[in-house]
Amino acid sequence: FDDITALVAAQRSAAWADVARRIAHEIKNPLTPITLSAERLRKKFAPGEGTEERESFDRYIETISRHTRDIGRMVEEFVAYARMPQSVFREENLVGIVKKAVFSAQTANPDIQYAQTLPSDAVMVSCDEAQLGQVLLNLLKNAAEAMEGREGKRISITLAREAGSATLTIEDNGPGFPADKIDTLTEPYVTTRAKGTGLGLAIVKRSIEEHKGTLTLSNVEGGGARVVMVVPVV
């Protein structure tokens, strides 16, 4: 018997990419006219300032605009998944890429404690620096969002070099991954959030696979989520 798991996963991914392309095309076209129409309504038909009617009118227009922006962000994820940019590989220091991503995440989330354990020496990998940096930002963003509303939020980032590979481990002290979905969370359109498209981790996984690496999700004993990324070193 041949193990065709990877082949089936690749075929499923290609099929979902085609679905994403079609959805993005159908949804994207009317977004601009909706946004422009809402702004024209605001300018032309808004009641006088300070009236109760004006407050209601502005609230209705803002609701249209806000939901249009939400849909626009979803479309961007569909496009990103369906049309991954061509990678440009160079030898880069993974330690530096991790530091930049953590700095950006820390700036955006000052209420979270970020603990880094990184090698003192360079860890050179062949990668597209922009893509790999975005992968790390997405993983850190997911961890931060999972801990919303909690006290004592903490994310640990550990990078270790082993024989022929580098292992990056990101752990948080949030609620962890749902046990019934943990095996499917990297598949397209599987999400645990009400407004999520389910494409974030799917895009991350595709990027890491482009770098000949692997992505593993698990839960930390006692609470929290763990994401392990392994990529080859040069």
Side-chain angles (χ1 to χ4, degrees):
F1 293 98
D2 293 329
D3 185 355
I4 61 169
T5 305
L7 176 61
V8 171
Q11 290 174 336
R12 187 188 300 127
S13 180
W16 277 121
D18 184 59
V19 171
R21 265 193 302 272
R22 294 172 188 271
I23 291 174
H25 177 75
E26 295 299 325
I27 295 176
K28 195 173 184 180
N29 288 339
L31 289 183
T32 299
I34 291 171
T35 302
L36 292 176
S37 296
E39 287 306 312
R40 285 170 183 161
L41 284 171
R42 189 196 301 273
K43 291 177 181 178
K44 190 168 183 178
F45 299 106
E49 287 281 356
T51 64
E52 186 176 339
E53 291 81 3
R54 178 60 181 263
E55 289 182 12
S56 297
F57 184 87
D58 285 343
R59 189 164 61 249
Y60 297 146
I61 294 295
E62 177 54 31
T63 299
I64 294 171
S65 299
R66 185 176 68 254
H67 286 298
T68 303
R69 289 193 298 269
D70 290 343
I71 295 170
R73 282 193 291 270
M74 292 181 187
V75 170
E76 287 173 7
E77 288 198 11
F78 287 133
V79 172
Y81 182 73
R83 192 173 60 230
M84 295 284 288
Q86 187 67 35
S87 302
V88 179
F89 289 87
R90 298 186 178 90
E91 288 190 14
E92 305 283 355
N93 181 9
L94 185 54
V95 176
I97 296 174
V98 172
K99 286 181 178 179
K100 288 178 187 177
V102 173
F103 178 80
S104 296
Q106 201 158 30
T107 302
N109 303 284
D111 59 326
I112 297 177
Q113 178 190 354
Y114 290 84
Q116 301 181 68
T117 304
L118 307 176
S120 55
D121 298 331
V123 177
M124 303 304 294
V125 297
S126 177
C127 71
D128 183 310
E129 183 180 9
Q131 272 194 38
L132 203 54
Q134 190 60 48
V135 162
L136 300 183
L137 281 174
N138 285 343
L139 292 175
L140 292 171
K141 177 174 173 285
N142 286 349
E145 289 177 348
M147 295 186 293
E148 283 182 359
R150 290 176 170 249
E151 298 292 332
K153 295 182 283 189
R154 186 176 187 275
I155 297 176
S156 66
I157 304 97
T158 305
L159 177 61
R161 176 167 184 159
E162 298 162 358
S165 66
T167 300
L168 179 72
T169 304
I170 298 174
E171 294 181 351
D172 63 59
N173 61 347
F177 297 114
D180 60 334
K181 288 187 176 181
I182 197 167
D183 293 330
T184 59
L185 283 175
T186 56
E187 294 183 6
Y189 310 113
V190 177
T191 182
T192 59
R193 292 196 290 272
K195 290 188 176 181
T197 60
L199 288 173
L201 282 175
I203 292 171
V204 164
K205 185 182 179 184
R206 281 187 66 182
S207 292
I208 293 175
E209 287 175 346
E210 285 243 327
H211 288 78
K212 311 298 182 187
T214 60
L215 180 72
T216 306
L217 310 181
S218 62
N219 284 321
V220 179
E221 189 175 346
R226 177 187 295 116
V227 178
V228 178
M229 181 184 84
V230 180
V231 291
V233 296
V234 294

